[in-house]
Amino acid sequence: MNRAYFYPKRLDEDFLNRAAHMFVGTHDFAAVRSVGTPTRTTVRTIYSLDVIREGDMIRIRVTGNGFLYNMVRILAGTLINVGFGVTDPAEIPGMIEARDRQAAGPTAPAKGLTLIKMEYPEHPEFPGQKS
């Protein structure tokens, strides 16, 4: 079953949420993308990054204006490190500022990664139509 990533240790969701909310906003997310992937800019906006516990399951929900290659998986891996106590939530702003992939956590497996919805703004040449 690939609908969830099984992590064998209990994670502290309070730490997860404290760290998750530090990623919210417009930042240069170079630290949380796969190295060597071409892109014009690594600046993105995360509108929300929420961690929700449902019994033994932890759900990480991210909303943004775009994502870099492996960005969500690296965010998840970084949050796992925080929840397990490897990384302190206070380190997140410095991690973002450093723009160094080595500063962030590992890339979590794609198991459970699900794209829920994509929205596009209206195209100015075609009112009423999405791009």
Side-chain angles (χ1 to χ4, degrees):
M1 178 178 205
N2 289 328
R3 296 176 193 238
Y5 168 50
F6 176 75
Y7 191 77
K9 312 243 187 225
R10 182 153 179 95
L11 301 172
D12 184 325
E13 66 265 25
D14 291 333
F15 267 22
L16 289 169
N17 263 308
R18 284 199 348 225
H21 294 153
M22 291 181 186
F23 286 110
V24 174
T26 301
H27 306 286
D28 187 330
F29 284 101
V32 291
R33 66 147 178 175
S34 289
V35 175
T37 55
T39 183
R40 279 187 263 182
T41 179
T42 52
V43 175
R44 300 289 188 274
T45 300
I46 292 183
Y47 302 122
S48 65
L49 178 52
D50 300 307
V51 178
I52 304 119
R53 179 174 289 281
E54 299 169 349
D56 287 336
M57 181 81 66
I58 291 179
R59 187 178 307 264
I60 299 171
R61 200 167 178 152
V62 186
T63 305
N65 70 348
F67 300 99
L68 302 164
Y69 186 67
N70 282 334
M71 180 176 167
V72 173
R73 291 175 57 194
I74 296 166
L75 287 170
T78 301
L79 291 176
I80 289 169
N81 275 358
V82 168
F84 190 55
V86 173
T87 304
D88 189 290
E91 295 176 41
I92 300 299
M95 180 185 303
I96 295 169
E97 179 85 15
R99 301 181 64 237
D100 179 8
R101 175 63 188 96
Q102 298 297 323
T107 305
K111 294 177 179 181
L113 183 64
T114 306
L115 176 64
I116 303 293
K117 177 171 69 171
M118 292 174 49
E119 294 180 7
Y120 295 97
E122 281 193 14
H123 192 285
E125 294 178 32
F126 307 103
Q129 301 239 351
K130 302 282 182 172
S131 309

